[in-house]
Amino acid sequence: DTGVSQDPRHKITKRGQNVTFRCDPISEHNRLYWYRQTLGQGPEFLTYFQNEAQLEKSRLLSDRFSAERPKGSFSTLEIQRTEQGDSAMYLCASSLGLAGNTGELFFGEGSRLTVL
Amino acid sequence: AQSVSQHNHHVILSEAASLELGCNYSYGGTVNLFWYVQYPGQHLQLLLKYFSGDPLVKGIKGFEAEFIKSKFSFNLRKPSVQWSDTAEYFCAVNADDYKLSFGAGTTVTVRA
């Protein structure tokens, strides 16, 4: 499979624990995005990387959230001291160049987080 | 910042019925417009997109969308739906050069 892959697909954790999600983008894509999706809502932008540089972070991303893309390939999204409100689907997407001009973000299947 | 409104939360229709999903955006400048679809248990995938040119764009699986600039709209249509069109549909707008802003989505249920 040469699409965007995310791991784990499901994560159940207790409030206060730390969780980390991994995303492997399509290999030739230099842009990588993280979105969050809650029930009944569309994906909300969290952050994106151009190669290894993190170029924007949404206000949604509190200081408990951190994302990295150390070598410009895979990325991790870590949530520290999880809260019940963090329960959501975390989506990763990648694209080649400018999202608008190339037309398409390629999404992974998401990592569903449940915080008890 | 741009925002996207999708008018219907849930649409239920029978096979062979026509489908139209509304999408309006708020942004005064040049935008690129997209419809994404998410079939049950699958990832989001692109249905169609508009950048410029003919405001009527055709996508996969018989879908089309019309960009009406004066109405800030990009409605999705399909003349005759099939059971396999059951999915969630998201309208998205790109006005920056790097990210998409999505609407809340419309769940479409097609009854056989």
Side-chain angles (χ1 to χ4, degrees), chain A residues 15-113:
Chain A
R15 188 163 50 109
Q17 298 296 304
N18 299 342
V19 297
T20 299
F21 302 114
R22 176 180 169 125
C23 171
D24 287 88
I26 294 171
S27 58
E28 63 266 29
H29 286 182
N30 51 20
R31 290 198 168 194
L32 186 148
Y33 302 77
W34 285 99
Y35 280 79
R36 182 174 69 184
Q37 187 175 18
T38 53
L39 199 62
Q41 299 297 319
E44 298 173 291
F45 171 80
L46 294 179
T47 188
Y48 93 107
F49 293 84
Q50 171 84 26
N51 299 312
E52 67 275 9
Q54 187 174 17
L55 297 184
E56 183 174 329
K57 294 192 291 185
S58 163
R59 288 189 301 274
L60 293 172
L61 220 61
S62 77
D63 58 5
R64 295 185 297 105
F65 289 70
S66 62
E68 294 183 341
R69 194 183 183 196
K71 297 181 180 179
S73 56
F74 74 91
S75 175
T76 57
L77 176 69
E78 181 183 17
I79 309 173
Q80 295 182 326
R81 306 180 304 280
T82 53
E83 302 172 356
Q84 288 183 325
D86 297 332
S87 295
M89 179 75 85
Y90 290 86
L91 299 172
C92 178
S94 68
S95 74
L96 183 60
L98 299 175
N101 292 339
T102 60
E104 186 170 2
L105 295 187
F106 293 80
F107 282 87
E109 296 193 14
S111 293
R112 182 172 295 284
L113 174 65

